């Protein structure tokens, strides 16, 4: 069994990003990312801070808006519009999910699709569906695909089961894997909580991508011997024996699944670091496009 080292693969991506930032800065362009968080969800706060820190590490411009949970939809959209108009900003990310009084779709629709580094705007969703390479692709599925490519795991002709159908991971993941080209050309099944005999469907997978958002949902009987398992889940589970009071666990019951696998990602240190690496890469790509550098 091989442990897929997401941290190491992310470092490789960051090295390329650092070089690209230096090259752009030499031309007077500093890639800029704005991250907006509404409310004080501790996990979201941690993500937002790590994105901010990574921007600084790579020499990028970073703006962070941490807004109270009571922020109105109109005020949030007003901030998005200011960021749309700000020439120092090339990427805008509004952390999902927002509080329930905010219509997430309306906020995403307000983001300039040329700055939508999350790839959530309908125009970018359409581009991914059409196979148009000019759009932005959601960072988590992009990171999963990069992990497979960098680990030398062939997707062409493989049976891949994507467990989960979210806008952030499952749906775009399926589209990426069925697209033509490296990291694609797979036979993709999208399974979810309503799928009949989920373990049996998952056992058909040469590569299983777990993105269902339930701690340790994928058990040994979901996995065929020799499969590759990519665990997208990052769940906080109470553990009062730890000083933090919680531990992080994936969507996969790692201890019982790992021995059956050809390769598997750990949590933490698997998909998580790749998501942020792809966000940085997409923001740099956006800055290049704004400067008409391709
Ligand atoms: N919440 C969890 N993952 C993501 C992501 O990739 N982008 C945004 N905006 N919110 C998220």
């Amino acid at each position: 069994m091989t442990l897929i080292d997401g941290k190491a693969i992310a470092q490789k991506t960051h090295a390329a990003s650092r070089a690209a930032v230096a090259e752009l800065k030499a031309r007077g362009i500093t890639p800029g990312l704005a991250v907006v968080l509404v409310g004080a969800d501790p996990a979201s706060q941690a993500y937002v801070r790590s994105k901010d820190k990574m921007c600084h590490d790579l020499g990028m411009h970073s703006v962070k808006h941490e807004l109270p949970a009571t922020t109105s939809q109109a005020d949030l959209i007003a901030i998005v519009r200011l960021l749309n108009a700000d020439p120092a900003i090339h990427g805008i990310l509004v952390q999902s999910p927002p509080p329930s009084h905010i219509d997430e779709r309306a906020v995403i629709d307000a983001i300039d699709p040329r700055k939508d580094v999350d790839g959530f705007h309908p125009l970018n969703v359409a581009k991914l569906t059409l196979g148009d390479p000019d759009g932005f692709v959601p960072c988590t599925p992009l990171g999963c695909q990069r992990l497979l490519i960098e680990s030398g795991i062939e997707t062409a002709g493989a049976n891949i089961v994507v467990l989960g159908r979210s806008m952030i991971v499952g749906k775009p993941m399926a589209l990426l894997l069925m697209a033509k080209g490296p990291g694609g050309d797979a036979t993709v099944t999208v399974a979810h909580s309503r799928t009949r005999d989920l373990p049996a469907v998952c056992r058909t997978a040469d590569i299983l991508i777990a993105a269902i958002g339930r701690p340790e949902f994928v058990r040994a009987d979901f996995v065929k011997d020799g499969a590759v398992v990519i665990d997208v889940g990052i769940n906080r589970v109470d553990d009062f024996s730890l000083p933090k009071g919680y531990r992080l666990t994936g969507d996969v019951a790692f201890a019982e699944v790992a021995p059956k696998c050809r390769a598997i990602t750990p949590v933490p240190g698997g998909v998580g670091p790749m998501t942020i690496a792809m966000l940085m890469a997409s923001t740099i790509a956006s800055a290049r496009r704004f400067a008409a550098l391709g």
Side-chain angles (χ1 to χ4, degrees):
M1 187 271 294
T2 307
L3 202 56
I4 299 175
D5 186 347
K7 263 195 208 160
I9 298 170
Q11 282 308 329
K12 199 172 150 186
T13 309
H14 287 314
S17 291
R18 204 170 275 114
V21 170
E23 191 200 317
L24 282 169
K25 280 179 139 177
R27 297 169 182 254
I29 303 153
T30 302
L33 174 67
V35 177
V36 184
L37 171 64
V38 184
D41 174 63
S44 295
Q45 284 175 325
Y47 297 147
V48 166
R49 284 175 196 154
S50 63
K51 287 162 192 163
D52 186 48
K53 181 176 174 299
M54 190 54 70
C55 281
H56 290 292
D57 285 354
L58 297 180
M60 292 163 58
H61 173 55
S62 172
V63 173
K64 185 173 48 137
H65 290 277
E66 293 194 60
L67 308 172
T70 51
T71 303
S72 71
Q73 182 172 314
D75 285 351
L76 177 58
I77 289 178
I79 288 173
V80 166
R81 296 228 159 93
L82 285 174
L83 295 168
N84 284 344
D86 184 345
I89 296 298
H90 306 98
I92 302 170
L93 179 150
V94 179
Q95 187 68 33
S96 176
S100 57
H101 66 277
I102 290 177
D103 173 5
E104 185 172 19
R105 217 49 266 172
V107 177
I108 291 170
D109 286 354
I111 298 173
D112 182 337
R114 296 171 307 164
K115 297 190 178 186
D116 168 42
V117 284
D118 256 331
F120 295 168
H121 189 282
L123 191 70
N124 287 315
V125 176
K127 285 184 175 179
L128 174 59
T129 310
L130 291 164
D132 179 340
D134 286 345
F136 291 108
V137 177
C139 301
T140 300
L142 208 51
C144 293
Q145 186 187 46
R146 182 66 70 90
L147 278 180
L148 292 171
I149 294 171
E150 293 284 336
S151 306
I153 295 161
E154 184 57 82
T155 53
N159 290 330
I160 303 187
V161 175
V162 177
L163 180 51
R165 52 179 161 175
S166 70
M167 168 198 77
I168 297 182
V169 188
K171 272 189 212 172
M173 186 79 253
L175 288 165
L176 273 177
L177 293 166
M178 75 173 86
K180 291 186 178 174
D185 293 321
T187 304
V188 182
T189 303
V190 179
H192 47 78
S193 55
R194 301 294 299 273
T195 296
R196 199 183 327 130
D197 201 353
L198 203 46
V201 173
C202 291
R203 275 196 306 274
T204 65
D206 304 315
I207 302 171
L208 176 62
I209 302 191
I212 199 160
R214 296 201 209 163
E216 301 184 349
F217 183 81
V218 173
R219 315 295 306 220
D221 65 326
F222 282 57
V223 179
K224 143 171 110 177
D225 278 327
V228 172
V229 174
I230 306 290
D231 188 351
V232 181
I234 305 181
N235 307 290
R236 285 188 180 201
V237 176
D238 285 345
D239 186 339
F240 299 111
S241 71
L242 298 173
K244 290 182 291 192
Y246 68 89
R247 65 188 163 85
L248 288 181
T249 182
D251 289 354
V252 176
F254 186 89
E256 65 180 60
V257 169
K260 299 185 77 175
C261 295
R262 178 180 140 210
I264 185 168
T265 59
V267 177
V271 173
M274 289 307 294
T275 297
I276 192 160
M278 302 322 285
L279 176 66
M280 299 296 127
S282 291
T283 304
I284 295 163
S286 178
R288 291 183 60 85
R289 273 182 218 155
F290 270 95
L293 293 170

